[in-house]
Structure formats: C-alpha cells, structure tokens
Amino acid sequence: MDYVFDFSFLESFRSEIISGVRLTILLTVVSILPGFALGTACAVGRLYGPRWLQTAVTIYIEAIRNTPLIIQVFWLFFGLAVLGARIGPFNAAVIALVINTGAYSAEIMRAGFQAIPKGQLEAANCLAMTRRQIFWNIQLPQAAELVYPALVSQFILMMLATSIMSQISVEELTGVGYQVQSITFRGFDVYLVIAALYLALATMLRLCLHGAAQLAFTRLRRLRTPL
Amino acid sequence: MTVISMNSVHTPVAPQTGVQPMVSFRDVHKSFGALEVLKGIDLDVMPGQVAALIGRSGSGKSTALRCINGLEKINGGELTVCGRNLRARDFELRDLRKEVGIVFQSYNLFPHLTVEQNVTLAPRKVNGLDAAQSRALAAEVLEQVGLSDKALSYPEQLSGGQQQRVAIARSLAMRPQLMLFDEVTSALDPELTGEVLRVIGKLAAGGMTMVLVTHEMAFARQVADLVVYMHQGRVWEAGKGTMLDDPQTVELRQFVGSGL
Ligand SMILES: Nc1ncnc2c1ncn2[C@@H]1O[C@H](COP(=O)(O)OP(=O)(O)O)[C@@H](O)[C@H]1O
Ligand SMILES: [Mg+2]
C-alpha cells in the first residue's frame, strides 16, 4: 500500500463542491414538508376516504413504491417534455422527490393513525368534537409522534436519493463529485470526501429533525422520553 | 324543550307532576345483525335521578347506555334524551353530546396532552372558551374530582384511579345535564375504586342526573334512586335499592347471591 492521498481538489474545486452541497440541501429541505403533507393526506384518504379515493391512493402508493425513483424522475423530465410540458430539471427533481416521499410517508403515517386506540376517538366524539377537530388535535399529533423515528429514516433516505438527480443535470453533490473525478482522476479521494459530506449532511438532518421533535412533541420534552 | 327541574331532590318516577323524564326508553329494541341485544326496554330517568344498571355480562347494559348518547342506533321503539327523539334523529348528534357526558371503563384520555389540556380541549374547540376561561374551568372541575395539583401532569404519570377521575372531570367540563358511566371502576385495583366512587357519589348528591352501569352492588344500593336489573336484553326487575334485599325473580336472586 503506497497510495498517497491527494485532497488538493478540495481547494481547486471548492466553489463547485459547495454549490453541490447547497443543491443537495435545497432539494432535501424543499421536499420534506410537502412530501410529508402529501403522505399524511394520502394516509387519511386511504383510511377514511370514500371507496374511489381509497382505490386511487392505493394505486398511487403502490405504483411509486414499486418503481425506481430514477424512472419516476425521467418520466417527469423527459416524458412530460415529449407532451410539451417543460418543467425544468430542478422542478422535475423536487416533484419526483415529493411524490416519492409522499408514497412512503403515507404508509408510515397510516400505521401511526391505526395505532391510536379507538376508544380515544370515541371519547372525543362523545365530547361533541367535530371530525376535523379530532384529526388536528388528537390524531395527527399522536400519529406523527408514534412513527417519528420511521419518518426520520425516510427523510434521510430521501436526502441520499437526491444523488441520482445529476442524471437530469441537477448538479448536486454526487454530480459535482463525478465532474471532479473525471477531471482529476482521483476517484478514491474524491468519493471518500463526497461520502464524508453525505455522512455529515445526514447527521445534521437527523439532529435538525430531532430538534424539531423536541419542539413539536411537548410531552416527550417534558417527560424526557427518548423518541 | 324539556322542562328541567331545578329541584335536585331525588324523586321517584312521577310522570303526573308534569316534569319530563331526562331519559325515556319505550319498548326500545336494538340488534347487531341477527343478534337482538335489547328486546324492548322501558325505563324513565327523571332530572336529578340516579339510575344504576346491573346485570350479568352480556345482558345489554352497555348497549342500553350507549344508545342514550347515540353511540348505538336503536332499531325499534322510542328513546327520548334531553327532549330529543333518538328514533327520529332529527337533530345534530353533537348537540345532544354537548349535554350528555360519558365515562368509559378504559379512561380514554389523550396521552399527549396534560391533564388540564385533556379537560379543556373540548370546551375550547367546541364551546369556544378562551385561555383564561378554560384555565378557570379546569381548576373548577379538577377541584371537583380532587386533582387540583395534577393539572400539569400527563396521564401516564397518574394512577388508574386518578386517570379515571380526570376522565370524569373532562366530561364535567362540558357542563352536561346528564352523565353516563359504564363500569368506570372495573379496570381498577380494588384499593383505587373507592376514590372514583366517592367522586361519583358526590356528583349524585349534588343533583346530577346519571345513568351508571356498575358491578358495585353496595354503591348502587347507596346512590341509586332506581336500580335496574337487566337480564337477556330486558329490564327484568327495577325499583329502589332495597329491591336487592328482596328479589322478586329467581334470576335477580341468583345474581345477587353470586356476589357479583
Ligand atoms: N358492536 C357490537 N357488535 C356486535 N355485537 C355486540 C356489539 N356490542 C355488543 N354486542 C353484543 O351484545 C351483547 C350485549 O353486550 P353489552 O351491551 O356490552 O352487555 P353488557 O354491557 O351487559 O355486558 C353481547 O352479546 C355482546 O357480544
Ligand atoms: Mg358492558
């Protein structure tokens, strides 16, 4: 083993790497909340909606969970372009991430809603609360709390999955890494750095989401219950 | 609209006075599919009265109770609660439920909310109370159940008896005219039933109209103006608490004798 590390590309491609990191963060940040909202709406539709909606939501969830993300992105980007709808690579990437995360979080949230004891909902009904009041005040906070660790994993997986977006010329971290590698031929060093950056980003995202949980779930904070 | 008696003295059924019963079953039938669970129930509960439903498991006590606030739909007969006809269902169920509180065997508290939040959620959302009003209300009803010091605790930090008292306070916070209790002490350790029964006894003494399903014979005899023994979906025997000392039917005699 007489390999000599050479990290000088960090200096020469500094701005490219920073912009790659930024784009990865941006894709993640703008996709998480809409993806979660879409997933929650789908979980509700699948559990409590009319028959046709349950069927429609089930088809959506299964279609997304059983096809590769990259095909979903290609279909949105190249496929829609054929039909004359040009939405741009960044928009295509975000929409694909939202749709993808929506399908996975729908199943996670569905499990959360189902885990709430029926008696609580009956009690709330008997207190004359409306369906809507029960959902926002009793079901949503508890379901989200119950499945929060699974949601965190899902959002981190989504962040890692942004690495395919350079395929439609969204030059996020992986895309930048490929460029640097193809110019410097320092694949070993470059991808070691890229991997370390993803690890750092995932750790940061995890910390942020745990911080958000501390804010959102008052009881966990007060009783110091680990998630 | 029902005429509500301001007189909180427990009176036996007396239709001729012109006071309408708060709950009135007339030949009420209820089936779950092919299984007929209520086979013609007749029962009147006057304002200020306490009625205790007793009987073997499966005799239809819970079902009868759940019909009163519309959790179960009756299939035949007439059921009038707080002046509303539950057969016709020509009203918003939510309006009835603002006036009828119910407490279950499993306390069904909201675990993510503090005791105070549990108690004030419905008053805030349903009746539009503001923060100051709801805090005062919580203080009042928690005092009633003897849990003033637990307002900021979470349900998981309380004993079963305390949780059940919170559930009672949560119902009282809606200022109901009628309270329903379905075996509220059955899930509790024997040493915890007393504190819950004392709260219910105090409510009864304060003139609250109540229908309660219970296995606590001594308690039923003590607080109930009307004891109703249900058997196989029918009111088998009904009367004052003293009827338990001198059962007229073989079934009630066996039931009392079995020590249930
Ligand atoms: N939702 C339901 N669906 C079908 N059967 C039911 C339902 N609720 C109660 N029953 C049946 O009705 C009968 C009376 O039940 P219940 O009113 O709970 O009796 P009790 O409270 O006196 O023990 C039982 O045989 C029970 O299995
Ligand atoms: Mg029962």
Side-chain angles (χ1 to χ4, degrees), chain A:
Chain A
M1 285 290 281
D2 48 2
Y3 185 82
V4 181
F5 285 101
D6 176 5
F7 294 117
S8 58
F9 66 89
L10 279 172
E11 215 29 68
S12 34
F13 292 92
R14 189 192 167 92
S15 66
E16 286 82 355
I17 293 172
I18 288 177
S19 94
V21 168
R22 280 219 181 112
L23 199 46
T24 294
I25 293 176
L26 186 64
L27 285 169
T28 306
V29 168
V30 300
S31 304
I32 284 183
L33 267 185
F36 172 66
L38 175 64
T40 303
C42 288
V44 170
R46 190 165 182 181
L47 283 172
Y48 311 114
R51 247 277 128 59
W52 64 266
L53 185 61
Q54 291 181 14
T55 310
V57 169
T58 306
I59 290 172
Y60 153 66
I61 291 172
E62 294 310 323
I64 296 299
R65 295 199 315 158
N66 292 287
T67 53
L69 173 60
I70 194 162
I71 300 301
Q72 295 160 18
V73 179
F74 281 167
W75 184 76
L76 272 169
F77 185 63
F78 299 116
L80 289 186
V82 170
L83 302 182
R86 300 194 159 274
I87 55 174
F90 180 80
N91 289 343
V94 169
I95 293 171
L97 288 170
V98 168
I99 290 177
N100 193 269
T101 303
Y104 284 98
S105 13
E107 286 303 88
I108 296 174
M109 283 303 283
R110 187 163 71 112
F113 287 123
Q114 285 176 320
I116 300 172
K118 296 280 169 291
Q120 274 185 51
L121 307 184
E122 194 165 86
N125 260 317
C126 291
L127 290 164
M129 291 176 73
T130 61
R131 198 71 204 78
R132 195 176 285 258
Q133 290 167 342
I134 294 172
F135 176 75
W136 288 106
N137 295 284
I138 295 166
Q139 293 180 281
L140 184 58
Q142 283 190 74
E145 185 186 303
L146 280 163
V147 300
Y148 201 75
L151 285 173
V152 169
S153 300
Q154 188 57 48
F155 297 153
I156 287 173
L157 281 175
M158 188 201 76
M159 190 212 54
L160 299 178
T162 61
S163 63
I164 63 160
M165 294 307 176
S166 59
Q167 297 288 321
I168 55 165
S169 75
V170 175
E171 295 302 329
E172 37 58 60
L173 190 49
T174 303
V176 169
Y178 184 77
Q179 285 174 12
V180 174
Q181 171 299 125
S182 63
I183 295 167
T184 61
F185 298 106
R186 304 291 309 182
F188 189 85
D189 315 60
V190 170
Y191 285 118
L192 195 62
V193 168
I194 299 290
L197 286 172
Y198 273 114
L199 183 62
L201 285 176
T203 307
M204 268 165 48
L205 180 57
R206 198 176 285 278
L207 286 174
C208 288
L209 291 170
H210 277 263
Q214 292 295 310
L215 288 180
F217 307 131
T218 327
R219 172 181 55 152
L220 298 189
R221 183 174 74 237
R222 292 248 189 88
L223 303 185
R224 298 180 192 286
T225 316
L227 259 175

Side-chain angles (χ1 to χ4, degrees), chain B residues 42-193:
Chain B
D42 287 288
L43 175 67
D44 279 319
V45 183
M46 303 304 291
Q49 266 197 332
V50 175
L53 306 186
I54 62 171
R56 286 183 202 289
S57 173
S59 57
K61 306 178 298 292
S62 295
T63 304
L65 197 76
R66 291 163 62 87
C67 287
I68 296 176
N69 76 344
L71 277 174
E72 303 293 354
K73 225 171 171 169
I74 67 172
N75 305 123
E78 292 292 330
L79 174 57
T80 312
V81 179
C82 297
R84 293 184 179 81
N85 183 336
L86 270 92
R87 177 78 172 145
R89 281 272 172 109
D90 51 355
F91 60 92
E92 278 291 327
L93 213 44
R94 288 184 56 238
D95 288 330
L96 175 70
R97 288 178 180 168
K98 288 178 194 169
E99 296 171 21
V100 182
I102 185 164
V103 182
F104 304 94
Q105 177 178 336
S106 49
Y107 336 116
N108 298 337
L109 295 179
F110 310 128
H112 62 304
L113 301 179
T114 63
V115 164
E116 183 175 85
Q117 289 168 332
N118 263 277
V119 164
T120 57
L121 181 62
R124 282 190 295 121
K125 300 295 169 188
V126 177
N127 296 336
L129 264 60
D130 64 27
Q133 289 169 321
S134 62
R135 185 153 306 135
L137 175 65
E140 179 195 321
V141 293
L142 289 177
E143 158 100 69
Q144 263 184 288
V145 301
L147 290 173
S148 301
D149 56 330
K150 297 294 182 192
L152 300 181
S153 302
Y154 284 89
E156 68 190 85
Q157 297 175 294
L158 304 180
S159 72
Q162 290 172 327
Q163 291 191 47
Q164 192 58 292
R165 286 188 281 152
V166 173
I168 295 173
R170 181 174 67 177
S171 276
L172 291 177
M174 291 297 282
R175 304 224 183 276
Q177 301 187 28
L178 169 67
M179 284 288 289
L180 311 175
F181 296 91
D182 192 357
E183 291 192 33
V184 294
T185 58
S186 297
L188 296 175
D189 295 335
E191 67 268 24
L192 297 179
T193 59

